[in-house]
Amino acid sequence: MFFAVSLGAAALSSSLAVVLSSLIGRNLGPRILVFPAAFWVSTALLAAGSVAMQRALAAVKLERQSRFRRWLWSGWSIGIAFVGVQSYALWCIMPADRTSHAAQSGATTFILALATLHALHFSVAVLFVSFVIVLAMSDRYDHEYHWGVTFCAGFWHFLGVVWLVVLAIIVIAFRTPTL
């Protein structure tokens, strides 16, 4: 069951990134780096997912199992959307010039590394949510035992704070005229 849920998450987020790239495309101007609006969308998704995970935690503490599962599935869906939109945003800032000199100059490589590392860690968070969903479907969590949900929500919140720091670095780098 866990394999199916996590495979579904990967397939859906990849599909979303492909659909966004097909529908919207990207700006491939000569050495002009444009801040993708998808980063703002992914930030909103991260905040919405954080709310969903916190509500799932509150619901399980109150033994509201159906509400708990609904919020978990909402958090999972929002996480998938985040990974898909984030993948699209990373593709948008991928430089058209992929030479060794281009990789060593400017902040683009640093920005790509930071945002990609965050997206990879967030993919792990979606896997955590998938695992918690599988356990929730077999009634493993209640008002006394909800450590997995607490850890999952805490990890999500931590990644949200990390993303705000990464986003601030990206905004500063995009405002620097030497890019």
Side-chain angles (χ1 to χ4, degrees), residues 7 9 26 49 55 63 73 110 114 163:
L7 186 62
R26 71 176 180 167
R55 288 193 177 178
E63 278 299 322
W73 280 108
F110 181 69
L114 275 179
W163 174 246

Side-chain angles (χ1 to χ4, degrees), residues 30-81:
R31 310 276 290 161
I32 297 172
L33 195 58
V34 178
F35 187 83
F39 278 144
W40 297 119
V41 173
S42 65
T43 303
L45 287 169
L46 193 59
S50 192
V51 168
M53 292 305 295
Q54 195 60 39
R55 288 193 177 178
L57 180 59
V60 75
K61 287 180 178 179
L62 297 173
E63 278 299 322
R64 307 279 192 249
Q65 290 294 324
S66 63
R67 185 178 297 158
F68 161 59
R69 289 185 185 106
R70 248 190 337 262
W71 282 114
L72 266 181
W73 280 108
S74 295
W76 183 80
S77 301
I78 292 168
I80 289 169

Side-chain angles (χ1 to χ4, degrees), residues 70-166:
R70 248 190 337 262
W71 282 114
L72 266 181
W73 280 108
S74 295
W76 183 80
S77 301
I78 292 168
I80 289 169
F82 173 85
V83 173
V85 171
Q86 189 80 348
S87 299
Y88 168 71
L90 288 170
W91 179 70
C92 284
I93 64 172
M94 186 72 65
D97 181 20
R98 294 191 183 109
T99 63
S100 60
H101 176 68
Q104 295 173 5
S105 61
T108 306
T109 307
F110 181 69
I111 291 169
L112 279 168
L114 275 179
T116 302
L117 280 172
H118 183 268
L120 289 173
H121 281 86
F122 202 82
S123 297
V124 171
V126 172
L127 289 176
F128 282 154
V129 176
S130 300
F131 184 71
V132 168
I133 285 173
V134 169
L135 293 180
M137 299 312 262
S138 59
D139 294 325
R140 298 283 176 98
Y141 297 113
D142 59 17
H143 69 284
E144 292 177 354
Y145 180 75
H146 49 77
W147 183 86
V149 183
T150 303
F151 177 79
C152 205
F155 188 55
W156 192 302
H157 300 325
F158 173 74
L159 286 176
V161 171
V162 169
W163 174 246
L164 291 177
V165 171
V166 170

